[in-house]
Amino acid sequence: MSGFRGTRMNFSGLLTLQKERVPLKSIEVELEVRDHVATVVSTLNYENKKDKPLEAVFVFPLPGDAAVCHFSAKIGQTQIVAEVKEKQKAHEEYDDALNSGQQAFLLEESDQSPDIFSLSVGSLPPRESASIRLEYVTELAVQADDGLRFCLPAVLNPRYQPQDFEGAGVQVTSVPASLLFYSLSFSARVSSPRPISTVESNCSLDPLQYLNTDQTQATVNLAAGHKFDRDVELLIYYKDAHQPTAVVEAGQASAEPGCLMGDSMVMVSLYPEFPQSVMSSMASCGEFVFLMDRSGSMSNTRIRSAKDTLLLLLKSLPMGCYFNIYGFGSRYEHIFPKSVEYTQQTMEEALKSVEQMQADLGGTEILEPLKHIYSQPCIPSQPRQLFVFTDGEVGNTKEVIDLVKKNSDSHRCFSFGIGEGASSALINGMAKEGGGHAQFITGTDRMQAKVMQSLRFALQPTVVDISGTWDLPKEVSVTVLSPPIKTLFQGQRSLIYAQLTGQSSEAAEGCVTVKYSLAGHPSENQLHFSLRPAEDTGLTVHRLGARTLIRSLEMEERESRGQQDGEVKKKLVRLSVQSGVSSSFTAFIAVNKDNSRVIQGPLVRRNIPTPMTPRYGSALRATPIRGSCSSLPIPDTYSKKRRNLCRGVPPRFGSALPAPPIRRSCSPPAMCSIPDTNLKKMRNLCRGVGSPMAMCSISDTTDSFCGGFLDDFALPKQPPRDPFMHLVSLQKASGSWLLDPGLATALGKTSQQVEKIKPRTANSEVWATILALVWLHAFKMDAKDEWEFLALKAASWLRAQNAPCVSECVESGNVLLGCSIKKEALGL
């Protein structure tokens, strides 16, 4: 049976604790990137070494906007190509095949999140091998530094299911990467009309190999020995990346003219460039609402980085705006009952609350705080900007995205996926439907730089009255498949897919014009393109266009709730089957109908585990532990460590406790509090919380459960404060700094040194503010994206003071700090 059919979430996990070698032996991935579109071919090799037939079930992540367009299986010399069918029919055909002793293969998308798929390999005979080929196409998102991001999701963290959620959950088997028995090989080929500057990755790569002298084609491979402890992320950089393009693709020869696959299709990429005079004037108003994930899975480095990010955001906001901060987990909290005006007093009050923040609110239930935020009346002349930070481990992805879309007219939504395994469907979907921008923060990325880039977008003048017009030969008509463009940002790509019906000469041209209003001024961007189809694109553009339309129809079907006699669903299924692109209502099914060898005997099911992010505090449904540790149904090695803890035998920190296979769920959802102290970790370990697979809801009043031995543990020393963040924390809401010992410490000087060199006629606050600006420009230019708005506020405050000795202060600051920054560089 498939992992998506009527099951609740199951995090029991670790089949490999019994040293069972799973039947998936290896995964081979071939990536082909053409400009900003990627085609991915994954081959999964299975081998059944048992003496009984197997059913292998593998639940794995894919990019949320991918168009899965091919699925086939090879057993021996027999090749079976799957067909797309309505999901219920595919299930029945799969079950019938297994019951009759035939081999069958089923690939389906989760009902709740389009970035999770389940692959069922049925009736794999004893001592037999099978090779599964999966192909999908996807667009590559543009990053803040103009790189194109491709992500091969490897990590599938368990998705938290809200207590009252009615949909079927996803059965996920997740284990630490060190316990996986299958290997990954990965190769990429990149080609573009423009030269390829470089390819970077969070994983080790072999050197980039150019295939031609103009450097428009290159290959790169993942270095041998890659561990499944992270997603594979590639950042591809082209020269002159912001060139608008249009790709026309011929229709499928076997399809009827007039249908989606039979007609030509065009994919238009636009990069709007706004006048510098408009872009230099950032908005000085707005309601900024920051929604921070404080579930258990955000513990340790994530919550610390989130707190630093909130500090930077609060210091960067313009005077006169409004703001509020929410934290959410199994419940939600807010600093203020409603958004308040940004002043020195409200900023200080918020910062005190931010400093106390911990990842202590349990599960990941994002829907309720969103409903509360949207229920608050908007503030006149203060456009609402919502910033959402989450590791994306939610089960009701589509419900969340639908809520954002429903409220898209009242705000813009900027979303941030934190850590490995963050749901691309959730993060991209919220930003797309909320007219904002999505960012992913993985590995050693600093959250702050990406967040400040999104703040820059939020402070750009809002583009309104967006419309598109087409100018084509009279014998050609156009049907736009993409939803209307809701938002435009400086330098960010907008994609349009359109079906072209009719014939034209090869020399014919078309033109698309996007018109909009920016800061009260009508503007437009125009692109002329040839209608001659490009070569060697296959059906990539058609499949991406079909996927775009399928997603729109899925949302329309959810909004109608079946009130249209299922017509939308019928249209959606028909489109999915015709285009060969999967949807939430269809599945790929392949059956080996060779009856020469019927497979005998009962099937043994094997769940193929996926890697999870190792960490404390993943907030999942779990069994509340009410008895002693020895009563737990857990492996002996785990029981021994747990019993030692309860007797007062301390564990070695950094050693991994295997997760107990907890198969029950509790209501209400489990909540845990895991601050960054060894004392708290020890208490939680004794309560069954230390494993990333098992959480429990036991209050701090049960410390006697552990026997009191924990009092002997010393609290860890706090790391020294980063001078940059220390300096940021001292800035006033107005943009100025005060001359005090804290500032001297941040600058690496003594108070006496700072006072001694101060120009005699200089105001202390002016002197302190100029010193801070000089230090930032001299020593933190590599982090300019993070402090740019702080510096703009400071320069604006200084200009308002009309201070007579600015040049003298800058010169003295250079002497004190040992640098040579010009006054003009400070914006003065």
Side-chain angles (χ1 to χ4, degrees):
M1 294 290 288
S2 162
F4 292 144
R5 275 173 275 170
T7 59
R8 296 302 295 171
M9 275 198 167
N10 181 350
F11 306 109
S12 54
L14 229 44
L15 293 175
T16 50
L17 278 179
Q18 285 73 40
K19 305 301 181 185
E20 292 279 2
R21 285 192 170 269
V22 296
L24 178 60
K25 305 304 296 180
S26 64
I27 303 176
E28 302 163 10
V29 178
E30 297 176 6
L31 167 67
E32 182 170 4
V33 176
R34 292 179 179 270
D35 203 9
H36 60 264
V37 172
T39 300
V40 184
V41 177
S42 296
T43 304
L44 295 87
N45 299 304
Y46 290 82
E47 182 181 5
N48 180 11
K49 291 188 174 182
K50 299 294 181 180
D51 55 4
K52 297 178 181 179
L54 287 180
E55 179 188 24
V57 180
F58 186 31
V59 179
F60 58 96
L62 286 180
D65 55 357
V68 180
C69 53
H70 176 86
F71 177 53
S72 60
K74 186 175 182 180
I75 305 97
Q77 299 303 311
T78 304
Q79 183 85 14
I80 314 162
V81 178
E83 301 176 73
V84 178
K85 295 187 178 182
E86 192 274 329
K87 187 174 281 190
Q88 186 58 39
K89 291 181 180 178
H91 289 169
E92 293 171 358
E93 190 170 331
Y94 178 80
D95 291 337
D96 289 345
L98 297 194
N99 291 335
S100 60
Q102 294 176 314
Q103 293 172 317
F105 307 87
L106 181 72
L107 177 70
E108 57 179 319
E109 176 186 312
S110 163
D111 291 334
Q112 296 307 321
S113 189
D115 61 347
I116 301 180
F117 279 73
S118 172
L119 171 59
S120 301
V121 178
S123 292
L124 187 59
R127 313 299 173 185
E128 185 70 89
S129 298
S131 179
I132 308 298
R133 180 184 171 96
L134 169 68
E135 181 177 336
Y136 65 87
V137 292
T138 186
E139 305 153 358
L140 302 186
V142 182
Q143 301 302 287
D145 61 356
D146 298 334
L148 292 174
R149 179 180 186 265
F150 168 79
C151 181
L152 177 70
V155 175
L156 179 54
N157 293 320
R159 302 288 171 86
Y160 182 85
Q161 202 84 322
Q163 180 185 0
D164 57 354
F165 187 65
E166 296 179 354
V170 181
Q171 179 174 325
V172 181
T173 302
S174 299
V175 300
S178 60
L179 294 176
L180 293 179
F181 292 105
Y182 50 90
S183 61
L184 170 70
S185 64
F186 178 90
S187 62
R189 180 187 178 101
V190 183
S191 60
S192 170
R194 298 173 293 281
I196 303 160
S197 299
T198 184
V199 177
E200 299 175 359
S201 178
N202 61 331
C203 305
S204 297
L205 298 176
D206 292 335
L208 185 70
Q209 302 287 333
Y210 288 107
L211 302 180
N212 54 9
T213 55
D214 58 4
Q215 298 186 344
T216 58
Q217 296 182 30
T219 61
V220 68
N221 298 327
L222 194 65
H226 172 72
K227 302 296 183 184
F228 279 84
D229 57 352
R230 73 195 76 175
D231 298 338
V232 178
E233 184 180 65
L234 290 187
L235 293 174
I236 302 165
Y237 296 87
Y238 299 133
K239 295 177 181 176
D240 303 320
H242 282 202
Q243 296 298 315
T245 59
V247 177
V248 177
E249 184 177 85
Q252 193 173 18
S254 59
E256 293 184 12
C259 73
L260 184 72
M261 300 303 290
D263 284 343
S264 294
M265 191 175 292
V266 60
M267 175 178 62
V268 177
S269 306
L270 297 175
Y271 291 87
E273 294 291 339
F274 302 151
Q276 184 59 38
S277 58
V278 176
M279 296 311 301
S280 60
S281 59
M282 292 294 182
S284 59
C285 61
E287 179 195 6
F288 296 87
V289 181
F290 306 112
L291 179 57
M292 181 63 67
D293 190 340
R294 287 174 52 192
S295 61
S297 53
M298 284 287 294
S299 60
N300 297 334
T301 57
R302 291 185 182 179
I303 196 66
R304 285 197 293 270
S305 181
K307 288 160 70 169
D308 283 348
T309 300
L310 285 174
L311 169 63
L312 268 176
L313 282 167
L314 287 173
K315 296 291 185 176
S316 301
L317 293 180
M319 293 293 286
C321 74
Y322 286 73
F323 78 102
N324 204 354
I325 300 175
Y326 287 71
F328 74 93
S330 298
R331 65 184 194 279
Y332 65 89
E333 300 174 351
H334 41 68
I335 293 179
F336 305 105
K338 61 179 182 180
S339 295
V340 297
E341 186 175 355
Y342 178 72
T343 65
Q344 181 66 27
Q345 180 181 346
T346 56
M347 183 191 75
E348 288 179 355
E349 188 176 344
L351 285 173
K352 288 178 182 176
S353 296
V354 168
E355 188 61 32
Q356 301 299 318
M357 275 188 179
Q358 298 294 344
D360 56 1
L361 294 185
T364 312
E365 295 197 30
I366 192 173
L367 203 62
E368 291 307 313
L370 281 175
K371 288 178 179 178
H372 177 81
I373 291 168
Y374 293 143
S375 71
Q376 302 295 303
C378 291
I379 302 170
S381 303
Q382 302 286 348
R384 179 173 288 169
Q385 315 273 11
L386 175 62
F387 285 65
V388 180
F389 303 85
T390 179
D391 56 18
E393 298 174 10
V394 305
N396 54 343
T397 300
K398 293 179 181 177
E399 196 174 359
V400 173
I401 293 172
D402 288 350
L403 181 65
V404 173
K405 181 185 179 183
K406 182 180 178 181
N407 293 275
S408 59
D409 291 340
S410 65
H411 79 302
R412 286 196 289 187
C413 180
F414 297 87
S415 54
F416 304 88
I418 301 171
E420 309 295 339
S423 168
S424 61
L426 178 74
I427 304 305
N428 287 327
M430 292 181 71
K432 181 179 179 181
E433 297 303 332
H437 187 255
Q439 301 263 26
F440 289 86
I441 300 149
T442 58
T444 58
D445 288 353
R446 275 183 66 83
M447 188 187 302
Q448 291 79 3
K450 294 191 174 184
V451 172
M452 299 313 290
Q453 172 66 43
S454 291
L455 179 61
R456 187 173 292 107
F457 286 154
L459 291 173
Q460 285 182 14
T462 303
V463 178
V464 296
D465 301 328
I466 305 172
S467 64
T469 57
W470 296 77
D471 183 12
L472 299 168
K474 60 181 181 180
E475 62 270 17
V476 178
S477 61
V478 62
T479 303
V480 179
L481 305 178
S482 304
I485 298 175
K486 293 182 177 181
T487 182
L488 292 173
F489 293 116
Q490 166 75 14
Q492 288 296 294
R493 185 185 68 211
S494 294
L495 281 175
I496 305 172
Y497 293 96
Q499 179 181 347
L500 303 176
T501 303
Q503 297 293 324
S504 63
S505 65
E506 287 196 351
E509 283 196 347
C511 176
V512 60
T513 304
V514 175
K515 299 180 179 181
Y516 50 89
S517 179
L518 177 64
H521 302 288
S523 302
E524 67 177 44
N525 287 120
Q526 198 171 71
L527 176 64
H528 294 267
F529 59 93
S530 169
L531 290 177
R532 181 177 181 178
E535 297 179 358
D536 300 328
T537 61
L539 291 171
T540 300
V541 175
H542 280 75
R543 286 162 175 164
L544 288 172
R547 184 58 160 171
T548 298
L549 187 53
I550 285 170
R551 286 290 180 240
S552 297
L553 289 171
E554 285 175 339
M555 186 164 285
E556 183 181 341
E557 198 278 337
R558 293 197 299 273
E559 289 173 348
S560 68
R561 303 294 181 187
Q563 294 176 4
Q564 303 175 17
D565 298 324
E567 286 303 315
V568 176
K569 180 179 177 181
K570 291 176 184 176
K571 181 179 179 181
L572 196 159
V573 170
R574 186 163 57 247
L575 173 61
S576 178
V577 171
Q578 288 176 354
S579 63
V581 173
S582 67
S583 75
S584 59
F585 293 105
T586 54
F588 280 93
I589 176 69
V591 177
N592 185 1
K593 298 183 178 179
D594 181 2
N595 293 321
S596 60
R597 183 183 176 191
V598 176
I599 299 167
Q600 303 290 339
L603 284 178
V604 177
R605 179 178 169 124
R606 285 285 180 264
N607 288 344
I608 311 299
T610 55
M612 68 180 178
T613 307
R615 60 181 180 273
Y616 285 105
S618 178
L620 314 174
R621 291 188 172 208
T623 309
I625 299 171
R626 297 186 176 88
S628 66
C629 293
S630 59
S631 67
L632 294 171
I634 51 182
D636 290 341
T637 54
Y638 194 94
S639 300
K640 183 177 180 181
K641 290 184 180 182
R642 181 69 60 78
R643 286 195 293 269
N644 284 342
L645 279 170
C646 294
R647 293 170 186 154
V649 181
R652 291 174 296 170
F653 280 98
S655 64
L657 291 177
I662 296 177
R663 295 180 174 85
R664 293 169 290 166
S665 64
C666 67
S667 179
M671 295 163 56
C672 64
S673 172
I674 311 180
D676 300 333
T677 65
N678 289 353
L679 177 63
K680 198 69 174 185
K681 288 179 183 175
M682 287 283 82
R683 287 174 179 149
N684 283 341
L685 280 168
C686 290
R687 297 172 194 148
V689 181
S691 157
M693 302 289 283
M695 299 294 100
C696 67
S697 52
I698 300 181
S699 69
D700 289 340
T701 58
T702 57
D703 288 348
S704 59
F705 180 71
C706 295
F709 76 92
L710 296 167
D711 294 336
D712 295 331
F713 279 89
L715 294 176
K717 294 181 180 179
Q718 292 297 321
R721 188 76 184 268
D722 173 34
F724 169 60
M725 295 309 299
H726 187 192
L727 184 71
V728 170
S729 70
L730 297 173
Q731 190 183 31
K732 311 290 283 184
S734 62
S736 68
W737 274 266
L738 297 179
L739 190 63
D740 62 19
L743 176 66
T745 300
L747 299 176
K749 303 296 178 183
T750 65
S751 297
Q752 292 79 6
Q753 288 174 310
V754 173
E755 286 282 1
K756 182 178 180 181
I757 202 170
K758 178 177 83 71
R760 281 187 303 166
T761 59
N763 171 279
S764 293
E765 201 168 346
V766 169
W767 167 238
T769 303
I770 289 176
L771 272 181
L773 282 178
V774 170
W775 188 89
L776 288 172
H777 281 81
F779 303 109
K780 279 295 174 181
M781 283 302 291
D782 59 332
K784 186 179 179 182
D785 286 345
E786 300 181 30
W787 53 259
E788 185 176 9
F789 288 118
L790 311 178
L792 288 173
K793 284 175 67 174
S796 177
W797 180 86
L798 284 167
R799 287 192 296 269
Q801 307 310 305
N802 289 320
C805 55
V806 169
S807 296
E808 190 178 352
C809 286
V810 173
E811 291 175 8
S812 297
N814 280 322
V815 172
L816 175 67
L817 299 174
C819 52
S820 54
I821 302 299
K822 302 292 185 183
K823 183 180 76 170
E824 293 74 23
L826 305 180
L828 302 176

